Amino acid sequence: MKPKLIVLTGAGISAESGLRTFRDSDGLWEGYDIYEVASPMGWEKNPTLVQDFYNMRRKDVMAASPNSAHTLLAKLEEWYDVRIITQNIDDLHERGGSTRVLHLHGEILKKRSVLNDTELYPVLEDIQMGELAPDGGQFRPHVVWFGEAVTMIEPAVLEIVQADIFVLIGTSLNVYPAAGLVDYLRPGVPRYIIDKKIPPVKGSDYHLIEKPATEGMAELMELLKK
Ligand code: APR
């Protein structure tokens, strides 16, 4: 049995692939009102604006490639049972080779009917208003909006409580319940943070690697590889 290495990632791990983060200086939330483009209220008010926001980000994701932080995480599967829990809606962990990825906030390359949040369909092009699912509901991105339930949080807690090692990469820990996952770590589990600017986090027993994700993962590999 390989030790369980649980990784919680955020937008920072995809930054070096050219995808914008949310709260950095040039972040997405600088240019958009979260509630207009990523909430049920925004969808009610102007669904086309919401579709356009995700259609644009989907094009960016498809044009991006995994970076070495993604691929090194996949390489760790040689020695560890690696479980990725990501807040990201891109597919760069999967394209980087990770085999167990749990998306807390959905996946931009999937769509679903507004009437059913479990029947998922792949999507590689724009979703248009008027494009209906077989159940007659309007197609929308399979993404968790602010104010919507994070249905994957329970499976994520079940992963975190089993961690033998924990790594936090590229998240400001601003958004709950994702940020609260760190509270479920068993005491004494070795824990690492890789971030270009280490976020405030409770507890002083973290091994801090204050570097961009690609450099930080190269350093972590030296510490963890067998
Ligand atoms: N390498 C490592 N870390 C980086 C890099 C980089 N190249 N660039 C940015 N970071 C770090 C920042 O320092 C910050 O800690 O990544 C983090 C990005 O934070 P946010 O922009 O808040 O992104 P994230 O934490 O993933 O946001 C969580 O908020 O808006 C919602 O649903 C959205 O999933 C998202 C959630």
Side-chain angles (χ1 to χ4, degrees), residues 2-166:
K2 295 178 184 174
K4 282 193 176 59
L5 192 154
I6 309 298
V7 187
L8 175 60
T9 66
I13 198 169
S14 297
E16 291 165 271
S17 295
L19 296 181
R20 291 166 75 183
T21 62
F22 295 94
R23 297 172 183 83
D24 287 316
S25 52
D26 61 346
L28 275 164
W29 298 146
E30 290 273 300
Y32 292 93
D33 174 340
I34 288 183
Y35 295 100
E36 289 209 334
V37 294
S39 79
M41 283 180 300
W43 175 256
E44 278 307 306
K45 191 173 146 210
N46 186 345
T48 305
L49 183 68
V50 177
Q51 294 283 22
D52 290 348
F53 176 68
Y54 286 99
N55 288 341
M56 179 202 68
R57 291 178 63 200
R58 186 176 300 105
K59 289 190 182 74
D60 294 342
V61 166
M62 290 168 63
S65 302
N67 61 59
S68 59
H70 297 105
T71 53
L72 286 174
L73 278 176
K75 183 155 179 57
L76 280 171
E77 293 189 15
E78 270 179 52
W79 305 289
Y80 299 92
D81 177 1
V82 182
R83 317 279 176 94
I84 310 278
I85 301 169
T86 187
Q87 299 171 85
N88 300 338
I89 58 176
D90 62 53
D91 64 337
L92 298 182
H93 280 301
E94 291 88 343
R95 282 196 272 147
S98 288
T99 57
R100 292 190 64 144
V101 183
L102 185 158
H103 287 270
L104 283 173
H105 296 160
E107 298 174 71
I108 200 163
L109 297 185
K110 291 181 181 162
K111 63 184 178 184
R112 66 178 201 237
S113 165
V114 291
L115 304 174
N116 175 327
D117 59 8
T118 52
E119 188 83 30
L120 305 180
Y121 302 80
V123 54
L124 297 175
E125 62 289 320
D126 289 358
I127 304 176
Q128 305 294 351
M129 290 313 289
E131 188 187 332
L132 307 183
D135 67 4
Q138 167 66 48
F139 268 127
R140 58 163 279 185
H142 173 54
V143 170
V144 179
W145 289 333
F146 285 90
E148 292 187 315
V150 179
T151 55
M152 294 304 286
I153 195 67
E154 286 83 10
V157 168
L158 291 179
E159 301 279 24
I160 282 273
V161 297
Q162 298 177 62
D164 296 313
I165 302 179
F166 175 69

